[in-house]
């Protein structure tokens, strides 16, 4: 009798599972909105409707901090000596993104990690493309300038000097004492003697 009751319970469970699969919408449960739908192939764990709501930054207004809105911070005089040169946000920080980050960071929902990672990767790729376009334009401008100048110095040496000057500028900014620190002397690097070939 007990064995028959187990068989009936198993049969009812299998039948209810089949009926659920028959009437339930196809797909999986969306991580963010909880609906059962086809998930986005690009953004792991969310449905296509939630993927369309991602507030991407399509037009950057501040080239330094990467905001899509007016930036009062970067135009302040004391902000000119920041330790970073360029920043790009993945998305605009609105209520949706605030909720997603809060779920991952403060509520322990680690299932959001692949989604947030994919957003950061896409933003990093966009920034890399942007910077490579800027570098290509600067290189073309340098080459055009060198071709028209009367200088006999090779272009490679000038580009290397520009790169060295840029690195020195970054190093100076990195080693500047903050205004709260007592002034201290920073030893300048000693020039190395040229090696004979």
């Amino acid at each position: 009798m007990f064995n028959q009751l187990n068989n009936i319970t198993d049969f009812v469970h299998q039948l209810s599972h089949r009926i659920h699969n028959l009437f339930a919408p196809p797909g999986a449960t969306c991580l963010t909105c909880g609906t059962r739908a086809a998930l986005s192939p690009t953004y792991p764990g969310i449905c296509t409707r939630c993927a369309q709501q991602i507030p991407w930054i399509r037009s950057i207004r501040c080239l330094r901090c990467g905001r899509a809105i007016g930036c009062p911070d970067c135009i302040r005089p004391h902000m000119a000596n920041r330790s970073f040169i360029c920043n790009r946000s993945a998305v605009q920080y609105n209520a949706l993104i605030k909720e997603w980050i809060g779920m991952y960071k403060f509520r322990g929902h680690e299932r959001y990690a692949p989604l947030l990672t994919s957003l950061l990767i896409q933003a990093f790729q966009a920034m890399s493309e942007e910077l490579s376009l800027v570098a290509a334009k600067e290189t073309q401008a340098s080459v055009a300038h060198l071709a028209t100048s009367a200088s006999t110095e090779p272009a490679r040496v000038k580009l290397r000097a520009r790169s060295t000057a840029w690195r020195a500028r970054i190093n100076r900014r990195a080693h500047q004492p903050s205004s709260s620190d007592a002034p201290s002397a920073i030893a300048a690097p000693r020039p190395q003697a040229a090696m004979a070939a």
Side-chain angles (χ1 to χ4, degrees):
M1 172 104 173
F2 183 72
N3 195 15
Q4 286 180 338
L5 189 59
N6 270 346
N7 289 341
I8 292 173
T9 305
D10 288 343
F11 176 74
V12 169
H13 180 69
Q14 290 175 2
L15 182 63
S16 67
H17 183 69
R18 288 181 182 169
I19 290 173
H20 175 75
N21 287 342
L22 181 64
F23 292 115
T29 303
C30 177
L31 179 66
T32 59
C33 69
T35 60
R36 188 170 172 90
L39 298 182
S40 168
T42 310
Y43 307 108
I46 63 173
C47 64
T48 53
R49 186 173 58 101
C50 289
Q52 291 172 351
Q53 294 178 1
I54 296 173
W56 293 106
I57 297 176
R58 306 241 186 261
S59 175
I60 296 170
R61 283 188 65 186
C62 180
L63 296 176
R64 187 162 209 187
C65 72
R67 290 183 184 171
I69 58 174
C71 177
D73 296 330
C74 290
I75 60 173
R76 294 181 185 162
H78 70 280
M79 299 302 271
N81 293 327
R82 281 188 184 171
S83 60
F84 71 89
I85 298 168
C86 178
N87 179 54
R88 293 295 178 264
S89 299
V91 293
Q92 294 178 16
Y93 190 70
N94 66 6
L96 176 72
I97 299 301
K98 185 177 182 180
E99 176 66 23
W100 291 3
I101 292 173
M103 293 295 284
Y104 174 72
K105 189 174 179 181
F106 302 116
R107 293 182 208 108
H109 293 279
E110 292 180 1
R111 297 172 299 172
Y112 280 83
L115 171 62
L116 296 173
T117 301
S118 68
L119 298 179
L120 291 173
I121 288 171
Q122 189 166 345
F124 178 76
Q125 289 171 341
M127 185 176 114
S128 297
E129 290 172 12
E130 174 190 346
L131 291 176
S132 65
L133 289 174
V134 168
K137 286 180 183 177
E138 286 180 359
T139 302
Q140 288 174 351
S142 295
V143 169
H145 175 70
L146 291 173
T148 59
S149 71
S151 174
T152 58
E153 198 173 14
R156 183 176 51 148
V157 174
K158 282 191 174 184
L159 290 175
R160 182 177 292 155
R162 175 186 265 181
S163 175
T164 305
W166 183 251
R167 281 193 198 112
R169 180 177 173 208
I170 291 172
N171 286 335
R172 277 195 309 273
R173 283 189 175 182
H175 297 311
Q176 283 180 343
S178 66
S179 59
S180 62
D181 296 340
S184 62
I186 299 175
R190 300 169 86 190
Q192 295 180 351
M195 295 177 60

